[in-house]
Structure formats: structure tokens, C-alpha cells
Amino acid sequence: MSTEVVDAVERVLPSGAGWVEVLGEGAVARHLRDRFEARRGGGEGPPLAVVDTTGEAQAIEQAMARVADLGTVVLAGPPPAEPVALDLYADLHVRGLMVVGLGAGGG
Amino acid sequence: MRERAKQLVSSGLDRAVAARGLQGADAMLARSDALDWARLRARALRRQRGVIGGLGVVVTRPGRAELRSLEVLVAGPGEVTVELLASAISPGTERAQWLRLPNARPALPFVPGYSAAGRVVARGAGVEGMDPGTLVAVPRARHASVMTVPAGWVTPVPPGVRLADAALVYLAIIAGYGVRRAGGLTGEPVCVIGAGSIGALAHRLLMLRGPGDVTVVATSPRRKAAAMRAGATSFRTSAEGIEGIAAAVVIDATGDPDAMRSAVAAARPGGIVVLLGSPRGVTPDAGLAEVQSKGLSLVGAHVSALATEAKAAEVDPFAELSREFLDALAGGHLEAADLSGEPGDPREAGLIYRRLAAGESVLGHLDWSLLGVAERVRHGRLLALPALRPSIAPVRGEALELRAQGARRRPLRFAVIGCGDIGLTNARAIARARNAEVTLCHDPAPALAGAAAAECGGEAADSLEQALDPGRADAVFLSVPHDLHVALTVRAADAGLHVVVEKPLATDLAGAREAVSATDSAGVALSACFPFRYEAHVQTAARLIRAGALGELRGATVAFHADKPPSYWLGGFSGRAPSDWRASRRRAGGGVLIMNLTHYIDQIRHLAGGEPAWVAGCARTDEGAEVEDAISLAVGFLGGAVGSVSASASTRGAPANRFEIWGDLGTVRLEPDPAIYTERAVGGIAPGRWTPLVEDATDRSREVFVERFCSAVGAGRTPDVSPADSLAVQAFVDAAYRAVESGESVAIATAQEVMA
């Protein structure tokens, strides 16, 4: 299951340079960190992509806050149980972010 | 040292602003203008550039926009200066800025605008292919008549493309970026939510990419025809919902923070939702659970992000999107005439924004060619001094235009009946009128009649019978105690004489009806003397109101103050004709209402067509007195306008009167300091500012009244102040007194109802 999620994340991540940050502590998060070892940290500025594996509203908000402009936030955790309130203009629109859901179940 | 210099400049500026009497927001604006003036010249000197002037729409404070002078540097290296001829109105953003919605609060003052098209008037070094005269589309342009921008921003307008359509270029770039962010569309079902200008442009641009079925969702069914014309497969209103759409791509162009849930719901699993409209506010639930469970991609498409992309791009994506739009227009692949809409007058920007704010669908552009070319582009401004306040040309009075042209073959001969204070004033007006003369003067006090005849002409008549001699007079001007008006009107009419009555027509409505019947039966003219209509500034106001300066009548305020001395009640202001009739309810008909407020009621009716429908109020009467000393009335007008009308005959110090009439588009202030404010570009006055209406220092209103009456009689037409007008005012007085007595509101009879 973890491998499938990791593959799915791989598919939706933007190609090319840029580093990836993974939020969460579970098995999926660990696998993702292993997979994207080469794209972890070390880069300048904010991450090009942030993968959330928790499905928690607070973590998702954090992911959107941390990702670079024009970056991608991957929702790789379970669907958020609580509604996530966003200022879509400031949080997503003006920065040109992409928020990608991995599909039912997530991680 | 530098700080000290700044302080000196700042304090000097404050003094200059204060010396011009500017306060509050006006003072801030003047300060801002002066600093802009100085900064621009500093830059001009530093860069050795000229200054070019024009006009721009400036939002000066919340809810206020006006056309003001602005200046720009003449194009330097890599730049072009463009005379803008059409600037597009972006309803979403500009409405949000006008309403100061979240995420749309530019610092005041600011020049709104987005996108325009015009003609190159200057190009800097290194600019190729932009000869003066080249028509160009200018993204990021403001609502202004002139602008200097980097040459890379502008795109030549292909032949055959209307400038108004080309002016949509920046909106098309924004919409085109949203479409681009959606990725491949060929054969895919697409849903566009929102059909304003951005939504409609996105729809039309995505149609160039060969999508599958396209569903357009909009709040209003009015958008359906345009959407279907542009190639939509189906159309739904928001109320009809989005069930079953299942689009591969959903473009949310609403700007509504709550629309995201619908957009997410309209996407099929694995689909893309492009957030194109700028949401104004927080979305309590952005639908991320559904984004996750359906495997959607939610994409933000704001022009700021495009600017970020452009930094790393080999080809400027702005220029690409601009060309794509203009080429589609030129090739006939995209229609935009309905989006560029009707031309609006830049002077009426405030009105256009007000309509936008009210939720009206405003698709249009500002047409700068409606302004004089000399105002649009002014060269050689480097040495021009700053204008700390906009010059506002006062509007001169025009009552003289109404004056009789040349003398009648035979002047209308007047018998002046009653030669007290107002009688003498009226006799003088007749004597000065070009088509009237005083032939007889009569007063129970022979000395008064003699004095009036000596000054104004004619002879003193010893008796009423002599004064009513049709062989020596054609008309009478009655300036007698109110209770004599009706009886003398009937006698004059019986003698075949036309009748002018110093207002009011009678002490009560029954008497007024009798006077009108008598003159009708005798076939002679009747008019109550309401001369304030003819004051120069009132006539100017009337002209502007007729041209639409006020719009729909919304209300009127009258506060009349006099400080009549006790002697007034025993002989008027001069004491020439001792009598206490003014203090008698039976003889005068009332106090300050019938004596003074009637003039204002006539003007509200005359100027703004305000027909009083009901009245309520209260009054105060001194102990032992018969007529009211003060009165306060609430008035409702046909059509829903409201009025607050009050008067006092003993306000110590007699403060300035107030008289204002306002509509949904403007306000006229007739007292004190007459001036008009309108959002309409009418009559050559500047919208969005108070324009003074010049009063005539030598008030000729009574003689104009006399001349107009004589002209009407000569032409066989009803006088300007018609019997119906006189009856309407009398009906108001009658209802107001009944309302005061009963403590309840009273309906006011129309003139027709009175006569019926």
C-alpha cells in the first residue's frame, strides 16, 4: 500500500529540480522520504512540493504555507476529517499553487 | 540635513494646502498631488525626459471617483507613451476595489483600471516597430488618457480589430492563463462556472482548443444566450445546481469564495479545477476532502503567478497570450463586442462604479475619445505648476435667457392692487419688465398708491372700480392681505382682466378652487407669484436637472429661518402699511408655512417634479397668537422620495437657510452657497465634484416672472406658474395644517383632485 502511494506521489510531482518536503511520521512518510532522499532539503528557498501524509487540517495549512510559489501540495493522507478553511486568494490563487489529491484512501 | 529638508517641504505643503481652505480628504489629496508633481519632475530632470499630461479616473476616497489631471514621463529607452482611447472595465476586480472587499483595498487615492488600447504618441530609444500612430493593446493600463509603459508590454492591434475589444487584452491574458493552467482540453468535457467578463473570455479562449462538451454555469439566466453563442453545449443557472456535470476541467471564474465547493463537485474523479476568479474572503470549507477523495488537482491561476512564470520563461507568456487573443479577434475566431460593451464616459466613472456596486451587470469600457483631444494629451508640462485643488468653473446663471425678446407691440397694462411692501416690489418688477407697464395703482392708503405710481408709472386709482377698468388695464397684480385674494380675483376676472396673485392663491383650498374656477370661466390667465423659480442659479439648476444631473428624485431638505421683529406683525418689515392681518389666522391663512415655505414647495415641484403625496408634522404657536411661529413637516413624495421641511419666523440671529434636493445620481444645494454635485457628465460640469452655481447679484427674478406671464398671455398659453401649480401648493398647505391639527399624516390632493 505504501509503495502504491509513493508511486502515485511520484506521478503527480512536478519534474525537474526542486526539493520535496514530507509532512507526517507514518510508514508512508518514511517511504516518501526514502524515495525523495535526493530531493530532500539542501535546496535554497522553500520546497517546490510538500507532501502531506497526515490528512490533518493544520498540516495541510502548514503545507500550503511552506511550499514555494507555483509549487505543489500533495494530499497523500486520508481525506481531512474536518473542513479546511482557506483564504483561497492568498493561500492558493495569487501564488499559483496546485493542490493534488491522490484519490480515495490516500495514504 | 535631509530630514530637516523633508520637514520643511512637508510643513510648507501643509501651509499651502491650508491656505486654500482644503481639509480632510481634500487636503490629503492635494498633498498627494503636490508630492507626485515634485517626484515626477525630479525623475524627469534626472532622466532628462519631458512630462506629458492627461486625465485619469481617481478613486479619491471610498465611494468617490473623479476625473483628475495626471502626468507621466515621456517614453524613455525601451518605452512607449500611449494615448489611451478605450479602457476596459473589469467588473469583478473593480467592483471589489470600489466596495473595498477583502484582498481588494488599494491605498487611497488610486487610479483604477486594468487593460486598455490606444495609439502610440512617443517611443523611446531602442523601440522597434512602434511608430507614433501605431494602435496597440496595453495590458496593466489604468483608466487614464495617457500612459508610459515598457514597449514589451504592448502588442500592436491587428487591422480590423476594434480598439474597445482590444482593450480587453489584460482580461484575456488572465483568462488565457487560466485556460493554459488547465492543460490539454481537446475533446474533454469542460465546465466554466461564472460568466462575467473573465469567465466569458475563458470560455471563448478554451473553445479555440477544441474541447468536448462545455457547460457554462452562471448566476443569471441572462448570460445564457451569449454562452450558447460562444459554443457552450449546455447552460445552467447556479440555482439549477451542478449535479451530473462530471467535467475533466472546471474553471471557477466567479470570485466567490463559496463557489469552490461547487467547482470541486462538478469535476469528475481525476479532474482539474482551475481557480481563476479572485475569491474575496475566506472559504470555510475549501472542499479538500473531496479533492483528496476524487483525486482532483486544484490549481490557482492568478496573473501574479504568470509574472513569476515569466521570469523563467524564454518567451514572454504575457505577449504570447496577448497575441493569441488579438489574433483570434482578427481572425474572427473570437467575439468580444458584447464584453467590451457600451462606451462609458470617463467623467461618469463614479456612476459606473456605483452601478457595479449595486450588482448591475456592467460590461463596458471607458471611451476616452469622448473627452476633448486637448484634455487627453497635453505636451510640454514640465514647467506647469501643481494644482492643489482642481479648478472648478462655476456655472453662470441663465435666467436672462428667459427674458422677453424685444418689447411686445403693446405692453401688458397692469393695475397694481395693494401698494405696501411687496406691492411696491411687484410694481417695480412690472416697470422693469420689457413687455409690461404699470398703468394704475390702487391702495386703501392713497399715499401708498401715489408713491407707487410716481415711481413705477401710471396713475393712482382712487377706487377699486377705477383700478379694474379694462379700458386702462389688461391685468391686475394683487399684493393685498391673503383673505382678499379670492374676492379680488373674482372681481378682476369678471372685469375681463388677467390676474397675478402674490402667493398664496388663497387662505384655504376652497378659496383657491373658487379663484381658479372664476378665471377659467372668464377665460383670463391666472398665476400665483412664485418668482424664485427664475433666480439665475435656480434656472441653471433646472437645466442641469432636466439633463439628468439628479437622476431619480430621492429627497429634499428645507430649513427656513427668519428673525422677524415684533413690528413685522403690525405692519410688515417696513411699516409703510400698518395692519395686523399677518397675525390673523382668518386673514393670513396661517403663519410661516403659508407665508414663506410655499416658495420652497413650488421649487421642489418645479425643479425636480417632486409631487408631495402626504405630510405629517407639528408646529408651535406663541401663547395668544393665532398663526404658527415654527413648523416642522415630514413629507412623502409620489415615487417614494422623502422630504424634511421646517421653518421658523423667530430664529434668533437668522442662521442661513438650507435647501437641498437630491436624487440617486446627484444633489443640488440652493441655499446656502448654491452648488450642484452629480455623477453624470451633463451640462459641461465636472462629475464627482461640487460645482458652484453663480447667483445673480442683481436679482431679476420678479421681472422675469412678469415677462414670462405677459409672454404667456400674449401667446395665449398657460403661464409658467399655472393655476394647477398654485392649487398644488395650496393643497400642500391645506394638508399640512390638517396634519398638524390632527397629529396624523394626511394625504395631499392633486390639483386635478382639487378641481374635481
Side-chain angles (χ1 to χ4, degrees), chain B residues 177-186 188 209 249 272 274 299:
Chain B
Y177 180 52
V179 173
R180 193 180 272 200
R181 291 282 271 169
L185 292 169
T186 309
E188 297 285 2
R209 295 173 182 239
V249 171
I272 296 173
V274 178
V299 182

Side-chain angles (χ1 to χ4, degrees), chain A residues 77 86 93 96-97 99 101-103, chain B residues 181 275 278 283 286 292-293 296 298 300:
Chain A
L86 292 177
H93 184 222
L97 300 192
V99 177
L102 284 192
Chain B
R181 291 282 271 169
L275 180 58
S278 295
T283 303
Q292 163 61 317
S293 62
L296 303 181
L298 182 56

Side-chain angles (χ1 to χ4, degrees), chain A residues 60 64 69-70 75-80 83-90 92-107, chain B residues 103 177 181 260 275-286 288-289 291-293 295-302 304-305 308-309:
Chain A
I60 294 171
M64 296 185 71
D69 289 355
L70 292 174
L75 306 180
V84 181
L86 292 177
D87 179 346
L88 286 169
Y89 178 79
L92 184 127
H93 184 222
V94 81
R95 297 174 58 207
L97 300 192
M98 179 183 286
V99 177
V100 183
L102 284 192
Chain B
N103 306 322
Y177 180 52
R181 291 282 271 169
M260 179 51 66
L275 180 58
L276 178 57
S278 295
R280 311 291 175 189
V282 171
T283 303
D285 180 1
L288 293 190
V291 169
Q292 163 61 317
S293 62
L296 303 181
S297 294
L298 182 56
V299 182
H302 186 273
S304 302
T308 308
E309 274 188 36

Side-chain angles (χ1 to χ4, degrees), chain B residues 108-131:
Chain B
L108 294 165
F110 71 97
V111 181
Y114 235 59
S115 187
R119 178 166 43 219
V120 173
V121 292
R123 65 173 179 179
V127 176
E128 303 279 334
M130 294 279 179
D131 294 333

Side-chain angles (χ1 to χ4, degrees), chain B residues 236-556:
Chain B
R236 298 187 191 188
T237 62
S238 312
E240 289 172 318
I242 39 76
E243 283 75 25
I245 289 181
V249 171
V250 179
I251 295 179
D252 172 9
T254 62
D256 177 356
D258 296 325
M260 179 51 66
R261 292 303 305 277
S262 300
V264 167
R268 74 182 184 195
I272 296 173
V273 175
V274 178
L275 180 58
L276 178 57
S278 295
R280 311 291 175 189
V282 171
T283 303
D285 180 1
L288 293 190
E290 199 170 349
V291 169
Q292 163 61 317
S293 62
K294 288 169 75 174
L296 303 181
S297 294
L298 182 56
V299 182
H302 186 273
V303 75
S304 302
L306 181 62
T308 308
E309 274 188 36
K311 288 176 191 163
E314 289 179 10
V315 180
D316 179 5
F318 285 91
E320 275 186 328
L321 290 166
S322 174
R323 267 195 303 276
E324 185 183 331
F325 169 63
L326 292 169
D327 288 347
L329 285 174
H333 308 303
L334 190 150
E335 285 285 334
D338 59 323
L339 302 178
S340 57
E342 296 295 318
D345 190 318
R347 290 165 292 199
E348 295 189 342
L351 172 59
I352 292 167
Y353 285 138
R354 190 176 297 284
R355 288 172 53 204
L356 263 182
E360 285 184 47
S361 170
V362 177
L363 292 176
H365 63 279
L366 298 184
D367 181 353
W368 293 87
S369 70
L370 294 173
L371 307 180
V373 67
E375 291 180 285
R376 297 203 303 262
V377 181
R378 286 171 286 146
H379 294 276
R381 298 282 301 166
L382 186 61
L383 300 178
L385 293 170
L388 287 183
R389 75 184 308 164
S391 63
I392 299 174
V395 184
R396 300 252 150 236
E398 51 199 34
L400 293 184
E401 289 176 14
L402 292 174
R403 297 205 58 176
Q405 300 300 309
R408 288 173 84 235
R409 195 170 51 230
R410 198 192 67 164
L412 199 70
R413 301 170 302 168
F414 272 91
V416 174
I417 312 288
C419 301
D421 286 357
I422 198 67
L424 184 58
T425 300
N426 289 330
R428 287 171 179 153
I430 295 166
R432 283 196 301 263
R434 294 171 181 168
N435 52 2
E437 65 178 336
V438 177
T439 50
L440 293 163
C441 296
H442 172 72
D443 194 281
L448 295 182
E455 181 181 336
C456 302
E459 294 175 14
D462 294 337
S463 68
L464 197 56
E465 288 69 25
Q466 283 179 23
L468 299 180
D469 177 1
R472 301 177 68 191
D474 305 306
V476 292
F477 202 133
L478 303 178
S479 308
V480 297
H482 296 170
D483 61 322
L484 302 178
H485 285 182
V486 177
L488 289 176
T489 296
V490 172
R491 283 191 66 177
D494 286 347
L497 301 178
H498 305 292
V499 182
V500 177
V501 184
E502 175 61 33
K503 60 79 206 156
L505 208 49
T507 55
D508 58 29
L509 199 49
R513 192 189 296 122
E514 187 183 347
V516 173
S517 293
T519 48
D520 261 1
S521 302
V524 296
L526 171 67
S527 188
C529 182
F530 285 115
F532 293 178
R533 289 181 176 200
Y534 300 108
E535 288 182 348
H537 64 285
V538 175
Q539 280 302 304
T540 308
R543 172 175 64 82
L544 294 169
I545 291 169
R546 278 197 301 274
L550 298 194
E552 188 179 295
L553 179 66
R554 291 287 168 86

